[in-house]
Amino acid sequence: MNHNPYPFSRRRLLAGAAAASAVTVTGVAVAPTAATATPVRATAPLVTRDRVATAALRAPDGTAAAAAFKADFHARLSAWLAFWSANSPRAWSAPVHVVGRVAPAGDALTLHAIRYRRDDELRAGFVAGRRDRGHTATVASLHHHFPSVRVLPDGAVRVGDGPAGFTGAPGQVAFAVAACRELWGDGDATAARWAEHAGRALARAGQPADAASHAGWAAFTRISLRRGLGTESYE
């Protein structure tokens, strides 16, 4: 089965990711002193960016918003947006705006909206205050790429830097239950037996796996993104 039937050609510009430069410090060896006994770790400088991949970064009030990012976090955001775009309907252009705020430390983003163009009109594929299937699908895409994903009371989603994977965090379990209910029609999904319910969705998609495993979690979040955005029904 081809699990991603949609061509990537219109989105290849999203494949780029920022690279962090390495800094090496050398010096003359001296006898340890109180000042030199504790090693000092160099902190990588933040990088200032006004885009995530090819999408312009906008503040929630609509203004352009260059922000300081940790280089690795910006690279993960670019990879995530490419993933979201590659699994969106063919009629949608690559995202043109990412609306959100970056944390002062450069390692977290609060996402408010993703906008694309269709028929020369600017439209939203995700909006914080619109709790629809697209919202759940976008949360799935974020769980696919980040270990920390939290839906705020207003519907905005805060993501933190780090390698993706299932950790058993309450936010991951809450998402899995919501996805099973809202996207897969499994109204009996519960936190206590979420992996069983998610496993049903995986089997339905022809990808049987333990949803609590690294591969199973990646597959579950991927198929939930596609089902939520309407690019796969898995019927």
Side-chain angles (χ1 to χ4, degrees):
M1 177 182 293
N2 180 1
H3 296 295
N4 188 13
Y6 299 94
F8 283 74
S9 58
R10 70 188 178 91
R11 302 179 176 101
R12 284 176 179 169
L13 291 178
L14 287 168
S21 60
V23 178
T24 303
V25 179
T26 61
V28 179
V30 296
T33 65
T36 62
T38 302
V40 177
R41 295 181 178 178
T43 301
L46 301 182
V47 296
T48 300
R49 298 286 184 268
D50 63 358
R51 310 185 79 79
V52 174
T54 60
L57 185 63
R58 293 285 186 268
D61 64 4
T63 59
F69 295 85
K70 286 189 174 181
D72 285 350
F73 182 53
H74 188 268
R76 285 192 177 97
L77 285 172
S78 295
W80 155 72
L81 194 62
F83 175 71
W84 186 94
S85 181
N87 289 284
S88 67
R90 293 182 64 178
W92 297 10
S93 71
V96 294
H97 291 160
V98 169
V99 183
R101 292 194 183 281
V102 181
D107 60 353
L109 170 75
T110 300
L111 179 68
H112 289 263
I114 305 171
R115 299 180 184 136
Y116 64 92
R117 290 193 186 279
R118 181 178 181 182
D119 300 329
D120 294 327
E121 293 183 8
L122 196 62
R123 308 187 184 194
F126 163 84
V127 178
R130 193 174 69 197
R131 300 294 190 98
D132 57 4
R133 291 168 67 92
H135 189 285
T136 306
T138 300
V139 174
S141 73
L142 292 165
H143 276 292
H144 189 87
H145 279 272
F146 298 95
S148 174
V149 179
R150 183 162 58 97
V151 179
L152 305 179
D154 65 354
V157 185
R158 190 180 192 278
V159 297
D161 193 19
F166 181 73
T167 64
Q172 290 182 331
V173 173
F175 155 72
V177 172
C180 287
R181 291 177 177 176
E182 297 166 16
L183 300 179
W184 298 98
D186 190 350
D188 295 329
T190 64
R193 300 176 65 182
W194 75 270
E196 175 185 336
H197 297 286
R200 293 176 189 167
L202 286 164
R204 178 175 171 179
Q207 302 178 47
D210 176 5
S213 68
H214 184 84
W217 182 250
F220 178 68
T221 52
R222 182 173 56 250
I223 65 173
S224 293
L225 166 63
R226 292 174 177 172
R227 184 167 171 83
L229 292 186
T231 50
E232 286 277 11
S233 66
Y234 300 107
E235 297 296 345

